[in-house]
Amino acid sequence: MEYQELMNRAIEASKNSYSPYSKFAVGACLITETGKIYSGCNFENSSFGLTICAERNAIGSAIADGERRIKSIAIYSPNQKHCYPCGACRQVLNEFKSESGLDVITEGDNELEVAPISFLLPEGFNL
Ligand code: THU
């Protein structure tokens, strides 16, 4: 699947964001090594610390479906150009990267940018 199609799905997912507190909507869409696709959006809570990021929502769906290796993830927010994953999500993405790594795709001014997770999280923690 093309990166642009993955981004289109991330944009769609951001429309389902439940973010009444921050008003910062985020959508994510990932593709696994086996070619399966999963989307997610952020969802917040009146107990703020319980917020789940869009990326980890999408990753959770992939894991629940038996997938383990993510090839690429597109992330989108209507509120910010090039919405990069937070530190916690970088570590979770690192856990499930594929053999060939994992590309993080962001968008700004209708241009896609591709950054490997190894660049966004150098020396990521692994056991
Ligand atoms: N958020 C994400 O969904 N992904 C990120 O990588 C950064 C932050 C969400 C969490 C919260 O609902 C809102 O953006 C503001 O922090």
Side-chain angles (χ1 to χ4, degrees), residues 19 22 24 26 42-44 51-55 83-86 89:
S19 42
S22 73
F24 192 92
V26 185
N42 58 330
F43 59 99
E44 300 181 346
T51 290
I52 303 288
C53 291
E55 298 91 320
C83 181
Y84 288 105
C86 75
C89 287

Side-chain angles (χ1 to χ4, degrees), residues 17-26 42-52 79:
S17 164
Y18 177 74
S19 42
Y21 306 108
S22 73
K23 311 226 185 303
F24 192 92
V26 185
N42 58 330
F43 59 99
E44 300 181 346
N45 192 275
S46 52
S47 177
F48 297 161
L50 301 181
T51 290
I52 303 288
N79 305 70

Side-chain angles (χ1 to χ4, degrees), residues 42-108:
N42 58 330
F43 59 99
E44 300 181 346
N45 192 275
S46 52
S47 177
F48 297 161
L50 301 181
T51 290
I52 303 288
C53 291
E55 298 91 320
R56 276 178 288 155
N57 188 4
I59 293 165
S61 293
I63 298 305
D65 203 28
E67 296 294 309
R68 292 291 183 268
R69 296 285 152 236
I70 300 167
K71 270 177 75 89
S72 329
I73 185 166
I75 305 164
Y76 176 82
S77 172
N79 305 70
Q80 190 176 79
K81 289 177 191 170
H82 295 293
C83 181
Y84 288 105
C86 75
C89 287
R90 290 179 198 208
Q91 179 63 29
V92 175
L93 286 166
N94 178 65
E95 183 80 22
F96 298 111
K97 60 183 182 280
S98 68
E99 288 287 316
S100 57
L102 190 161
D103 281 338
V104 175
I105 301 140
T106 59
E107 187 189 70

